[in-house]
Amino acid sequence: MKRSLLALTGALAVALAGPMAPATAATTPAQVATGFSGSAYGSYIFNADKTLTSGPTANSGVSCTGATGRTATNTAAGLNVPAVGTVGAASTSVKTLLTATGKRIEAQSTVAGTNLLGGLITAGTITSASSADKNTSGAFSGTNATTIANLKVLGLPVSANPAPNTVLDLNVPLVGSVGKVTLNGQEKRAVTGGYIVTTTALRVEVLKTGLAGIKVGTDIRVGVSTAGLGPAQTGYLAGTGFSTRAVLANGLLGSNPTALAYAKCGGGTNNANLASTNILGLATAGASSTATTGVLTPQPKVTVTNTIAGLNLLNGAIQADGIKAETSATRAATGTTVTLTDTSTFTNLRVAGLPAINASVAPNTVVNVAGLGTVTLHKVSKSSTSIIVTMIDVVISQPIGALPTGSRIQIGYSSTGVVQ
């Protein structure tokens, strides 16, 4: 009787509680929702007033995507930066992965040695690696790793695997302390809806005078990798615009991008404006601006517009009253097809010695301009999801001013894309 009463009580409790809810299916690694953003470069050297800028070299990155299986790689030859020293050949990679526990992004940089500040800092192969994970329960984690072979600072050997964030005083004999060296710089931080991991294998900061040819504020970074995870979204927007840029034949920036603006991955606007531009005394441009706009609904779309009010390159070799570089990318609300458009224009374009060239010049027209080099007008390149337009792309055929043969001048740049 007692057992029957207990059974009846249990049955009544179940009846009052109603039918049992089905068990919630566990999240699988493939179902983990996240966005990826990672980058890596070999070296980046600059000073406070930006009269020296080298790099980032071998820069590679994966961003604005939620897809696994993406990989980006890059390489760069070694370089010699006057007064600073030499940095060996660099190779970098960034990739997104599906793991047994969730999703991961990995970034790595490898540099084949360096000799800095007249031998004050020397090293063999330098490797930096960063990774960030999100597991099926939504938890984030990450790793940092640095290896520096045959490292010497002020002639003294240092471990190939220095402790995280090791700081050494750059105390030069007969000169004194002029700065600091940071080894295996590590950072992990939570951001809204995500997580970022950064590793800087070697960083040198010059904080005081005393080194010949080196300005206070010079910053040398070698072997840098960043792995980031962020909120997932239905579409990721990408885009860049600038007015002018000069790149030396050895890969150093001769003139930084002007009126530079980037599109925001999640939509919105961004702007940059400049009253006028002078590229190393070789070209002058009037007021310029870059505007980026993006939306995710009703369908992902991004537009980048760069405008320049007048250009004179090499004393009239190429002139224009106006330049507009404008591209857009739109992904269908359903599906993966991306529509790419190019609405770029010249106003009153003139090229010395080539009277047939005018504002209606066809895309990807290549001409040779005496005293200048090979010029591509309205240069266009496309992939299935992105488009790049450079209105004037010059590869110089002889030394001109501060630019050696083989250097590149770019004027009027717009790129857009929509990625998964």
Side-chain angles (χ1 to χ4, degrees):
M1 181 68 181
K2 192 172 186 179
R3 178 180 292 177
S4 299
L5 180 59
L6 288 172
L8 179 61
T9 303
L12 179 60
V14 171
L16 291 174
M20 293 182 65
T24 303
T27 300
T28 68
Q31 292 172 327
V32 171
T34 190
F36 296 106
S37 179
S39 64
Y41 61 82
S43 64
Y44 182 34
I45 303 169
F46 60 94
N47 55 27
D49 60 10
K50 296 300 175 72
T51 53
L52 168 66
T53 303
S54 168
T57 62
N59 193 22
S60 63
V62 173
S63 64
C64 294
T65 183
T68 57
R70 297 290 175 87
T71 300
T73 61
N74 202 354
T75 61
L79 56 89
N80 187 335
V81 180
V84 173
T86 60
V87 179
S91 62
T92 62
S93 66
V94 181
K95 55 185 176 181
T96 63
L97 306 166
L98 180 65
T99 70
T101 58
K103 293 181 179 178
R104 174 185 300 160
I105 182 168
E106 298 177 348
Q108 180 169 309
S109 169
T110 301
V111 177
T114 190
N115 186 320
L116 302 172
L117 305 178
L120 294 179
I121 300 113
T122 61
T125 302
I126 300 168
T127 301
S128 154
S130 302
S131 68
D133 289 79
K134 184 178 181 181
N135 65 21
T136 53
S137 65
F140 294 103
S141 61
T143 63
N144 309 80
T146 289
T147 302
I148 309 176
N150 304 317
L151 173 63
K152 290 185 179 181
V153 177
L154 300 175
L156 300 176
V158 180
S159 168
N161 303 107
N165 302 307
T166 296
V167 178
L168 305 177
D169 182 17
L170 194 58
N171 196 333
V172 181
L174 304 179
V175 176
S177 178
V178 295
K180 62 181 180 179
V181 179
T182 303
L183 306 173
N184 191 15
Q186 298 188 5
E187 182 183 22
K188 295 186 183 79
R189 58 190 172 96
V191 296
T192 302
Y195 194 65
I196 297 175
V197 180
T198 298
T199 308
T200 303
L202 170 65
R203 183 179 182 187
V204 181
E205 297 171 84
V206 178
L207 305 175
K208 296 180 181 178
T209 59
L211 297 176
I214 303 294
K215 292 185 177 182
V216 173
T218 297
D219 195 327
I220 306 167
R221 306 180 190 192
V222 182
V224 179
S225 57
T226 298
L229 300 172
Q233 57 190 58
T234 57
Y236 295 84
L237 310 179
T240 305
F242 61 80
S243 294
T244 64
R245 178 172 66 179
V247 181
L248 305 185
N250 59 8
L252 300 180
L253 278 175
S255 173
N256 287 305
T258 60
L260 173 65
Y262 297 100
K264 298 178 180 180
C265 284
T269 62
N270 202 4
N271 296 276
N273 299 279
L274 192 65
S276 61
T277 305
N278 187 309
I279 309 175
L280 304 175
L282 305 177
T284 58
S288 60
S289 65
T290 300
T292 74
T293 61
V295 296
L296 294 180
T297 57
Q299 56 188 5
K301 179 178 181 180
V302 58
T303 301
V304 173
T305 305
N306 171 262
T307 58
I308 304 172
L311 170 77
N312 187 322
L313 177 60
L314 200 62
N315 297 317
I318 300 177
Q319 299 180 75
D321 293 344
I323 299 172
K324 180 176 76 170
E326 183 174 66
T327 63
S328 66
T330 307
R331 197 187 75 189
T334 58
T336 59
T337 301
V338 177
T339 301
L340 306 171
T341 61
D342 171 19
T343 48
S344 306
T345 58
F346 286 108
T347 300
N348 196 19
L349 172 67
R350 292 98 67 199
V351 178
L354 298 170
I357 299 294
N358 56 41
S360 301
V361 64
N364 294 313
T365 295
V366 180
V367 297
N368 290 309
V369 178
L372 185 57
T374 303
V375 179
T376 305
L377 299 169
H378 198 160
K379 183 178 180 180
V380 183
S381 60
K382 295 180 180 180
S383 71
S384 61
T385 59
S386 63
I387 179 172
I388 300 173
V389 166
T390 307
M391 293 303 284
I392 300 176
D393 185 277
V394 181
V395 178
I396 69 172
S397 58
Q398 61 191 53
I400 302 177
L403 297 180
T405 300
S407 297
R408 171 172 264 112
I409 301 172
Q410 296 173 306
I411 300 170
Y413 180 96
S414 171
S415 70
T416 51
V418 180
V419 294
Q420 306 303 311

